[in-house]
């Protein structure tokens, strides 16, 4: 089982579970549907952190109404916005949404010192073997899908042997899968939803290898808490293949978190006053004293990985 995922599961269950359970209390129906929306701020040399942000949003209204409301309060992504609308702040703080951000200081190079190519290769092979065992035992009823996953893994293994292989992109892909799986697992142990739809900003993380990021996320979601083989007693977990622009408004939610948290020096609170005004507004209006978000810092020192639940309280 992936060591990063195990550390995240332990941290979230110990440090964030009570807050997340309180968030879920009004939503005890077993038929609720959720959107897991993600965006990323990675490889920006002007930022201090690489950030993977996810927002878990209840399907509480018609999608067109949700999109229109977000668009009215945040017509542009944070990079192109001049300020942050009051209605948008109200929405991201509302009772129908919970935010998770995974923050890696840029000098950690996406945890390269811990999450090596050898480790990634081993984990991809592990997922391939899990698929094989599950097909043989017919433990999931997903045999056609698992065979497709194996085809994608075969392609990945071939590319990993080439000198042109993009190790950094693969690390982004697998980290995205790990982070999403940790959230899906937290939801799984605290509620009984009927469906979760993952919606991501469209870039190489999602497009490369026909969406293997979702495969990696989905397989680890199925495996938790056991690594023997997946269980079929899970909610329906899906990935949106809609066009890039259809969910733009929803993606704007994690975009604001990723863009803001990437700008913050986690070791120096005084630096908050030096942020751009729009980032300061968002920090003060949504991040400080928040009861509906988890900001997880991951850091590698001397090949040892540490994870922290970071809170801003005033």
């Amino acid at each position: 089982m992936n060591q990063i995922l195990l550390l995240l599961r332990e941290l979230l269950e110990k440090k964030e579970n009570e807050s997340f359970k309180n968030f879920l209390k009004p939503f005890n129906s077993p038929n609720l549907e959720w959107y897991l929306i993600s965006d990323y701020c990675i490889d920006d040399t002007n930022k201090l952190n690489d950030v993977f942000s996810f927002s878990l949003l209840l399907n509480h209204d018609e999608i067109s109404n949700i999109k229109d409301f977000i668009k009215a309060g945040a017509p542009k992504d944070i990079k192109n916005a001049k300020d942050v609308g009051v209605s948008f702040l109200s929405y991201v703080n509302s009772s129908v949404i919970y935010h998770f951000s995974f923050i890696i200081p840029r000098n950690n190079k996406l945890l390269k010192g811990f999450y090596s190519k050898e480790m990634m290769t081993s984990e991809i092979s592990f997922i391939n073997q899990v698929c094989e065992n599950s097909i043989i035992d017919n433990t999931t009823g997903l045999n056609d899908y698992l065979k497709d996953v194996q085809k994608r893994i075969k392609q990945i293994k071939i590319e990993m042997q080439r000198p042109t292989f993009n190790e950094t992109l693969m690390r982004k892909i697998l980290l995205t899968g790990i982070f999403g799986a940790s959230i899906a697992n937290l939801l799984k142990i605290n509620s009984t939803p009927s469906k979760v739809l993952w919606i991501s900003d469209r870039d190489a993380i999602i497009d490369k290898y026909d969406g293997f990021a979702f495969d990696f996320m989905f397989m680890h979601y199925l495996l938790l808490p056991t690594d023997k083989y997946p269980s079929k007693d899970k909610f329906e977990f899906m990935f949106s293949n809609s066009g890039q622009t259809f969910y733009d408004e929803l993606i704007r939610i994690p975009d604001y978190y990723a863009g803001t948290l990437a700008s913050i020096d986690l070791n120096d609170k005084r630096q908050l006053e030096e942020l751009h005004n729009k980032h300061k507004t968002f920090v003060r209006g949504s991040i400080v004293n928040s009861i509906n978000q988890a900001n997880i810092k991951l850091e590698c020192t001397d090949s040892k990985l540490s994870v922290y639940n970071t809170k801003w309280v005033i």
Side-chain angles (χ1 to χ4, degrees), residues 41 46-51 101 103-106 256-276 278-284 286-288 293 295 297 310-312:
C41 186
N46 295 316
K47 301 292 187 180
L48 297 170
N49 308 300
D50 291 317
V51 182
S101 289
I103 308 164
I104 305 172
R106 291 212 67 246
Y256 272 63
Y257 283 93
T260 299
L261 291 167
S263 306
I264 295 177
D265 185 343
L266 300 180
N267 299 315
D268 186 3
K269 291 184 178 179
R270 294 172 299 177
Q271 181 259 353
L272 292 175
E273 296 304 317
E274 300 173 5
L275 294 175
H276 191 287
K278 61 187 175 184
H279 292 306
K280 283 196 287 189
T281 299
F282 196 71
V283 169
R284 292 167 177 165
S286 177
I287 295 177
V288 171
Q293 66 183 276
N295 296 313
K297 178 184 177 183
T310 303
K311 299 287 186 181
W312 283 269

Side-chain angles (χ1 to χ4, degrees), residues 44-280:
D44 188 333
T45 57
N46 295 316
K47 301 292 187 180
L48 297 170
N49 308 300
D50 291 317
V51 182
F52 301 70
S53 290
F54 295 76
S55 295
L56 185 67
L57 173 67
L58 179 69
N59 183 12
H60 62 92
D61 199 345
E62 295 291 334
I63 186 63
S64 58
N65 293 336
I66 296 174
K67 289 169 58 177
D68 287 345
F69 188 83
I70 295 171
K71 187 175 182 179
K76 299 179 180 179
D77 60 25
I78 196 166
K79 182 178 180 179
N80 297 309
K82 293 182 179 180
D83 52 26
V84 183
V86 174
S87 63
F88 182 70
L89 281 174
S90 176
Y91 188 68
V92 300
N93 288 326
S94 69
S95 62
V96 295
I97 192 165
Y98 207 96
H99 312 280
F100 300 83
S101 289
F102 301 88
I103 308 164
I104 305 172
R106 291 212 67 246
N107 59 11
N108 269 232
K109 299 180 180 179
L110 295 171
L111 307 178
K112 182 178 180 180
F114 176 82
Y115 204 27
S116 64
K117 181 180 178 181
E118 291 73 22
M119 186 181 291
M120 292 190 291
T121 301
S122 175
E123 289 178 356
I124 291 169
S125 296
F126 169 70
I127 293 298
N128 188 59
Q129 189 59 54
V130 169
C131 290
E132 187 66 29
N133 294 343
S134 300
I135 291 170
I136 293 171
D137 298 338
N138 195 25
T139 54
T140 65
L142 299 171
N143 285 3
D144 289 342
Y145 168 71
L146 297 176
K147 290 176 183 178
D148 287 339
V149 174
Q150 287 188 301
K151 291 177 183 177
R152 288 189 277 275
I153 289 176
K154 183 177 180 180
Q155 177 193 0
I156 289 169
K157 286 188 171 182
I158 291 173
E159 285 210 17
M160 292 184 86
Q161 301 303 315
R162 295 173 177 164
T164 56
F165 172 66
N166 190 336
E167 181 181 332
T168 300
L169 176 57
M170 179 55 68
R171 191 171 286 107
K172 295 176 188 176
I173 291 170
L174 300 191
L175 286 173
T176 299
I178 291 165
F179 298 150
S182 71
I183 299 167
N185 179 65
L186 193 66
L187 181 64
K188 175 181 65 180
I189 64 176
N190 285 298
S191 66
T192 55
S194 64
K195 183 187 296 185
V196 174
L197 178 65
W198 179 34
I199 300 166
S200 174
D201 186 31
R202 305 295 302 197
D203 60 17
I205 291 175
I206 304 305
D207 295 334
K208 189 69 171 176
Y209 307 117
D210 296 325
F212 183 72
F214 175 72
D215 298 331
F216 202 69
M217 182 186 299
F218 181 67
M219 293 304 297
H220 279 94
Y221 149 73
L222 287 178
L223 286 167
L224 285 170
T226 174
D227 60 1
K228 183 179 179 182
Y229 51 76
S231 166
K232 61 184 177 181
D233 299 323
K234 306 290 191 295
F235 56 74
E236 188 176 5
F237 196 4
M238 304 171 64
F239 173 58
S240 170
N241 289 317
S242 297
Q244 182 166 356
T245 61
F246 182 75
Y247 288 114
D248 270 1
E249 290 82 8
L250 271 66
I251 292 169
R252 208 156 289 151
I253 299 172
D255 167 79
Y256 272 63
Y257 283 93
T260 299
L261 291 167
S263 306
I264 295 177
D265 185 343
L266 300 180
N267 299 315
D268 186 3
K269 291 184 178 179
R270 294 172 299 177
Q271 181 259 353
L272 292 175
E273 296 304 317
E274 300 173 5
L275 294 175
H276 191 287
N277 284 339
K278 61 187 175 184
H279 292 306
K280 283 196 287 189

